[in-house]
Amino acid sequence: MKSLREHIQRDFSKNVIIALSVLLIALLIFPKFSSYTMLNLLTRIFVISVFAMSYDILRGYMGFINLGHAVYFGGGAYVAGILYNKLGTTIPVFILSIAVVVLYSVICALVMGKLSFKKGTSVFAAAMLTLALAEVVRNIAESWRDVTNGTDGLIFKVPSILSNRIFFYYFSLIFLIVMFIILRKFILSPTGRVIIAIRENEQRAEFLGFRIENYKLIAILVSGVSAGLAGLVFGTFNRFANTELLSITYSTNALLYTLIGGTGTLYGGIVGSIVVNVFQNMLLNLRSIHPIFERWLIFLGILYIAVILFMPKGIVGTLRHFIENRKVKSDNEKSSKTEKAPGE
Amino acid sequence: MDIFLTLFINGLSEGALIFLVSSGLAIILGLMGVVNFAHGALFVWGGYAYVWIYQMTNSFILGILAAMLIVFILGIIFEKFFVSRLYGNAPAQILITLGLNIVFIEIIRLIWGNTPIAIKKPDFISGTTIINGVTISHYRILLIIIGISVLIIVNYILKNSKTGMVIRAGVQRSDMVQALGINIRLYFTIVFAAGAALAGLGGALYAPLAGNVISTAGANNQILAFIAIVIGGLGNFSGTAKASFLLGLMNAFVAWFIPSFAVVTNVLVMAIVLAFKPEGLFSEGRKSILRLAVKK
């Protein structure tokens, strides 16, 4: 617990805590003053943030490139839709769908983990395997038309309380906060520490006696389940699921959010999700000015390449680096001042 | 029996096509250790370039050459400005090529739109011959011939020419090769671009076979190519060739006899290979020179 406190102290200085509380209050009273479009944008950002954070567990904390992460996200959305369509739109069904999503994600994660964390599998082969598994699931969703409605996508109704936009806004805000706390606790737990150790030096971690494959499995389980839940909430929010949610586009989107925000920071996912979604919204609004903005993905792709080339730590990582540098500098100045003092 | 022969030829031609895409990947991966996730974009660029030039000049040969040239130039751009900054950093290479893939596929959609463009086979090759009741498409025979010629030529260059030697040496000790007065960076650029041009060739040949060209074709073929590479052994050129033809044949037969199973077979085979023989189905036991680069 001590290390947790240290972490909180490191990341949350007094000013940051004040800023965060102000932000939280602003977010809580936000629906009173805003339009539905803004509300929807924020809700989307909250849900996508969870998806991005779940990806960060793998990419940032374990150094694993998962190109099939959409399996969980899209799967979550589909499970919700299928259950609502088959069993009706009641709150118990929603709760049941949570259980089913967890089960589904656990199964997917076990299969994916068992296959890609085998010894002797290179980064590339593992990435390929996840991509291929995702393609299998997407193809199943496409061809199993009775249940998933194929490429047309699945439209469904949700419990009436969940279709209230303002309620859903609060719901997803709470979802984000809860998931953030859970994932942070996980990263700060001894298990999380071992996972970071594996990223830093797999061989050494193994020689210390840790069964690294088991730890990797735990990480992909946690990550998969959180992505599945994010997908469930996302599906409930949109009342729609299509095969694109299962495609590599969504996996690379998750990668994009974490990379832009900063990998291995957990906040990075949230920051990346905000930046990308706001940017995307802006570009979509610019469509009426010039048709090139129809293809807004170009600009996102360019942003993504620029981040990899020039800002590999992402926004949060770069900021943190900057703040730490300044701290070191001010510490140096302080110490040089104290050194000077006796001489004067 | 007839159907077997038809399926066999279809499978071989499909395998040749897979090989054209995967060979470029295998060269780039095997020689330079770069995982190129932008290969699908290069493939589609080849397809569109071919269609563009073919519709203008009505010449099959010109279309193919133009496709290869355009994709070759794209390959130079990719290597010079993006990939070359990240040698030795495999995850960053995967990420940056993924980004390039997104951007260049979107550029295609911007220029040519998102709907498929229909394209016919050129007249001189569009016919079929019937031997003993077996219908043989000329175009598929052409594909097989091109695939096998590329295999022989590239294999020869890799094993025997000075270029192959320089690159193999450059991967192991680039400083030493540079000390001998050889511009190793230039060689790397050319290898990358040549691998890209092979993808372009694949795309150009794929378009008439499929009857249309669409921006999503790249992703599917890229996955097939990756599967071929994993099955053949990472960076193992001849292994990739064998795996490509195996995949092509398997696809043809499975699609005919158990169509509902067609989608998952490739992935299933790859998963099995990775689970039981992660070094690849066709690895030669001894350390192939090509594979050294990947290990590094």
Side-chain angles (χ1 to χ4, degrees):
Chain A
M1 277 322 273
K2 195 187 161 201
S3 72
L4 177 67
R5 199 164 297 142
E6 270 170 12
H7 250 266
I8 289 175
Q9 274 165 0
R10 201 188 77 191
D11 285 339
F12 298 101
S13 65
K14 211 181 246 170
N15 294 339
V16 177
I17 289 179
I18 293 170
L20 275 182
S21 337
V22 171
L23 181 68
L24 190 65
I25 292 167
L27 284 175
L28 284 176
I29 57 171
F30 182 76
K32 287 257 180 267
F33 306 101
S34 95
S35 62
Y36 270 125
T37 357
M38 279 308 286
L39 210 60
N40 282 348
L41 178 66
L42 274 186
T43 313
R44 201 183 143 85
I45 288 175
F46 296 152
V47 183
I48 293 285
S49 294
V50 176
F51 182 43
M53 285 193 306
S54 75
Y55 197 85
D56 200 23
I57 299 284
L58 293 180
R59 172 76 195 110
Y61 290 98
M62 211 171 71
F64 177 66
I65 297 179
N66 184 351
L67 294 179
H69 208 55
V71 160
Y72 310 104
F73 192 69
Y78 264 109
V79 165
I82 291 166
L83 287 181
Y84 288 139
N85 272 356
K86 300 273 170 197
L87 301 176
T89 54
T90 52
I91 290 293
V93 174
F94 178 68
I95 293 165
L96 174 72
S97 70
I98 295 178
V100 177
V101 165
V102 170
L103 187 70
Y104 162 86
S105 307
V106 166
I107 293 171
C108 284
L110 279 179
V111 172
M112 197 179 260
K114 281 277 179 207
L115 284 174
S116 28
F117 298 146
K118 245 183 91 72
K119 259 197 172 167
T121 314
S122 63
V123 185
F124 162 68
M128 266 321 297
L129 221 126
T130 54
L131 173 57
L133 286 175
E135 281 300 299
V136 171
V137 175
R138 190 178 66 85
N139 277 307
I140 290 173
E142 234 164 56
S143 47
W144 199 9
R145 293 191 59 89
D146 306 342
V147 178
T148 62
N149 207 13
T151 42
D152 299 338
L154 188 69
I155 304 169
F156 48 87
K157 289 200 176 77
V158 298
S160 56
I161 186 164
L162 289 176
S163 59
N164 180 337
R165 287 300 180 207
I166 294 176
F167 175 82
F168 208 83
Y169 170 86
Y170 287 118
F171 177 76
S172 47
L173 179 61
I174 293 166
F175 175 63
L176 169 62
I177 294 171
V178 169
M179 288 310 286
F180 178 76
I181 293 171
I182 291 176
L183 290 178
R184 189 157 180 82
K185 287 248 182 200
F186 171 69
I187 286 302
L188 296 177
S189 71
T191 316
R193 294 271 155 233
V194 177
I195 288 165
I196 296 173
I198 291 172
R199 176 192 68 187
E200 294 300 326
N201 193 333
E202 191 164 331
Q203 234 170 14
R204 190 178 288 178
E206 195 173 7
F207 287 149
L208 283 173
F210 294 112
R211 303 194 55 168
I212 51 172
E213 266 140 65
N214 291 357
Y215 282 94
K216 285 179 165 180
L217 262 187
I218 293 173
I220 202 171
L221 278 174
V222 171
S223 164
V225 170
S226 9
L229 291 175
L232 169 73
V233 177
F234 194 71
T236 314
F237 170 61
N238 286 328
R239 295 170 233 165
F240 180 68
N242 63 358
T243 46
E244 206 203 329
L245 291 179
L246 290 164
S247 71
I248 185 175
T249 320
Y250 263 81
S251 300
T252 43
N253 278 356
L255 194 57
L256 179 71
Y257 304 133
T258 39
L259 268 180
I260 288 180
T263 47
T265 56
L266 220 56
Y267 318 104
I270 303 177
V271 174
S273 163
I274 295 170
V275 170
V276 173
N277 279 305
V278 170
F279 190 54
Q280 182 181 337
N281 208 41
M282 263 166 48
L283 291 173
L284 282 173
N285 287 339
L286 285 173
R287 263 191 308 197
S288 50
I289 299 171
H290 194 282
I292 194 175
F293 293 107
E294 289 274 354
R295 303 253 68 92
W296 49 271
L297 210 57
I298 290 184
F299 300 97
L300 272 190
I302 292 170
L303 179 69
Y304 172 89
I305 291 172
V307 165
I308 298 166
L309 281 181
F310 305 115
M311 222 166 74
K313 285 179 178 163
I315 295 172
V316 172
T318 312
L319 266 182
R320 210 181 246 180
H321 186 75
F322 180 72
I323 290 170
E324 260 161 33
N325 265 3
R326 211 177 53 179
K327 216 181 258 170
V328 170
K329 225 182 243 172
S330 65
D331 284 354
N332 283 350
E333 274 167 19
K334 255 183 225 161
S335 61
S336 62
K337 262 179 201 164
T338 47
E339 270 166 30
K340 260 182 198 169
E344 276 172 353
Chain B
M1 199 54 219
D2 302 346
I3 190 64
F4 269 99
L5 201 56
T6 312
L7 285 178
F8 189 70
I9 288 173
N10 285 358
L12 271 189
S13 59
E14 228 128 87
L17 210 53
I18 297 173
F19 168 67
L20 286 177
V21 191
S22 58
S23 62
L25 263 179
I27 291 172
I28 295 173
L29 179 73
L31 288 178
M32 299 157 68
V34 174
V35 183
N36 183 14
F37 271 88
H39 219 65
L42 295 168
F43 176 86
V44 185
W45 268 89
Y48 274 92
Y50 166 77
V51 170
W52 183 42
I53 300 294
Y54 181 74
Q55 283 177 344
M56 272 200 316
T57 62
N58 222 0
S59 157
F60 179 68
I61 307 283
L62 267 186
I64 297 277
L65 289 179
M68 287 180 75
L69 182 69
I70 290 173
V71 180
F72 186 82
I73 295 169
L74 276 183
I76 292 180
I77 296 171
F78 280 17
E79 205 276 346
K80 266 264 173 267
F81 295 109
F82 303 103
V83 180
S84 66
R85 293 159 182 260
L86 300 167
Y87 279 124
N89 185 351
Q93 280 168 353
I94 294 181
L95 301 179
I96 197 132
T97 46
L98 272 173
L100 287 170
N101 198 35
I102 295 174
V103 171
F104 277 82
I105 290 216
E106 283 301 311
I107 291 178
I108 279 188
R109 290 181 182 154
L110 193 67
I111 302 175
W112 285 290
N114 211 359
T115 44
I117 300 176
I119 180 87
K120 273 189 195 143
K121 288 174 195 145
D123 290 333
F124 76 95
I125 200 85
S126 63
T128 52
T129 306
I130 299 175
I131 304 169
N132 285 343
V134 181
T135 316
I136 296 168
S137 152
H138 293 172
Y139 193 78
R140 289 191 180 270
I141 300 292
L142 178 78
L143 279 183
I144 297 173
I145 293 170
I146 294 179
I148 290 175
S149 347
V150 168
L151 171 60
I152 293 169
I153 295 169
V154 174
N155 215 10
Y156 181 81
I157 294 176
L158 284 180
K159 291 234 165 86
N160 300 315
S161 77
K162 191 184 163 220
T163 319
M165 197 171 70
V166 168
I167 291 159
R168 289 192 322 248
V171 166
Q172 290 182 12
R173 284 292 297 270
S174 70
D175 49 342
M176 198 64 197
V177 176
Q178 260 171 329
L180 291 172
I182 293 164
N183 187 351
I184 190 71
R185 295 215 84 93
L186 181 70
Y187 273 93
F188 276 170
T189 309
I190 287 174
V191 167
F192 192 94
L198 281 175
L201 175 64
L205 289 171
Y206 172 81
L209 183 74
N212 62 46
V213 56
I214 181 165
S215 52
T216 49
N220 301 337
N221 282 286
Q222 180 171 331
I223 290 175
L224 266 182
F226 276 136
I227 292 176
I229 286 198
V230 170
I231 293 178
L234 292 187
N236 178 347
F237 187 76
S238 56
T240 304
K242 288 173 200 160
S244 305
F245 285 106
L246 180 79
L247 275 181
L249 285 173
M250 197 177 69
N251 278 341
F253 279 94
V254 172
W256 178 263
F257 289 109
I258 2 173
S260 56
F261 205 54
V263 183
V264 284
T265 10
N266 298 328
V267 178
L268 216 61
V269 170
M270 181 173 85
I272 291 169
V273 168
L274 277 178
F276 295 105
K277 208 158 181 289
E279 72 273 19
L281 211 54
F282 301 107
S283 62
E284 291 127 353
R286 68 191 164 83
K287 274 186 186 168
S288 98
I289 301 157
L290 283 181
R291 233 170 307 127
L292 276 177
V294 181
K295 274 210 172 139
K296 195 183 151 220

